[in-house]
Amino acid sequence: MHETDMTKALILTVRQWWEEQPSRPQIDTIHLTVGQFTCVEPASLQFAFAAQTQKGFLEGVKLAIHETPLVAFCHACQEEYKPKIGLHYSCPSCQSPMEDIRSGRELKIDRIEYTQSCVEI
Amino acid sequence: MHQTVEAALEINLLHANQAGANHNRAHFDQWGITCLNIMSSPGAGKTVLLERTLAALNPDLKMAVIEGDMTTELDAERLRQYGVPVIAINTGRSCHLDSKMVSGGLHSLAADYNPAEFDLVFVENVGNLVCPAEFEVGEHGKVALISVTEGEDKPLKYPIMFQEADCLLISKIDLAPYLDIDLNRLESNVRQINPQVTIIRLSAKTGAGLETWLTWLRNQVK
Ligand SMILES: Nc1nc2c(ncn2[C@@H]2O[C@H](COP(=O)(O)OP(=O)(O)OP(=O)(O)O)[C@@H](O)[C@H]2O)c(=O)[nH]1
Ligand SMILES: [Zn+2]
Ligand SMILES: [Zn+2]
Ligand SMILES: [Zn+2]
């Protein structure tokens, strides 16, 4: 279950960011981008995240996962196409192999939404 | 007064693993070691291949193995008989080696030996077709195995490891005559995803293809 490890890595990185913030803000949502051409299953990641954040600074924090499709670019045809994961990866027009992946390999912490008290001057 | 704000992070989820991999690679480079990450599903023949490889290349090349296993030291014990250092890493419940585990193995190798003497370090990953390819450990190359008993559709179903591989070994070809497997089809499935990969058909049992593998290997060493 590598989603467990992925979640640990995620929490570690977010904690680092959080501790660098002078105000230690209340995090509301963590936005991730996860490509379909990775080994991550979003549902398992949600599950692991919920389990690992029951206590601590991320308690109750939402995880929003934005999936990106696998998109490849065929240089021969100068065209993007969507390979069918599990079935077919070469270009549907000219059968060139999948060489240039334009999307689908992302595993990224995109942004963090948090609440901040306004500073009174 | 409260307001909702957003902070853009744009950090890779595996950032920490990546940093560890870079650390390991710096060590390998500083010591002049080539590191190869050997990956496959359980039982495709990684350990037997390493046995044959160690037997053939020791002592011409100075080698060591970092051996990942979920719970046992069985594979490590087998490889130790070839007179090379074998560091066993139990991954516990983890289904792959990460850079930190390999770093532990690396530092213990460096503590017991002069690491600069080594030419080649093999990392035998945990048997798993899905995720080891996603966790870089600081290797210079990835070697994937697929045995003929697994079927020609596996590269399509589990593409990432095949896409990342520098060398693909089709193992146990001595068994191919007993199976309904089309090796050309298997190869063309791999090439759909990874046209550059070196493909070698091999049997650790009969020794077929072994010389080609050893030549590829020698060419990887700096
Ligand atoms: N017929 C045949 N059997 C092989 C060959 N290579 C390995 N085997 C057998 O396949 C089985 C598994 O081999 P291992 O080398 O232990 O496989 P592994 O990939 O190291 O397995 P894990 O470490 O558990 O993932 C053993 O019974 C081997 O004897 C081969 O070339 N031909
Ligand atoms: Zn895993
Ligand atoms: Zn095309
Ligand atoms: Zn093994």
Side-chain angles (χ1 to χ4, degrees), chain B residues 110-165:
Chain B
D112 295 341
Y113 301 87
N114 173 8
E117 280 178 11
F118 288 89
D119 304 303
L120 192 54
V121 167
F122 296 105
V123 174
E124 185 185 333
N125 221 305
V126 178
N128 178 350
L129 213 48
V130 183
C131 64
E134 205 79 90
F135 291 81
E136 241 187 86
V137 299
E139 71 273 51
H140 299 99
K142 291 185 168 77
V143 177
L145 274 78
I146 179 160
S147 60
V148 295
T149 52
E150 292 171 65
E152 63 242 359
D153 57 345
K154 291 305 169 290
L156 303 179
K157 286 187 180 165
Y158 304 96
I160 292 166
M161 182 171 298
F162 298 94
Q163 201 231 344
E164 299 260 335

Side-chain angles (χ1 to χ4, degrees), chain B residues 164-186:
Chain B
E164 299 260 335
D166 300 287
C167 181
L168 175 75
L169 304 175
I170 300 179
S171 63
K172 309 191 190 180
I173 54 161
D174 57 290
L175 298 177
Y178 310 102
L179 303 162
D180 266 332
I181 182 158
D182 182 342
L183 293 182
N184 293 331
R185 181 86 174 270
L186 171 63

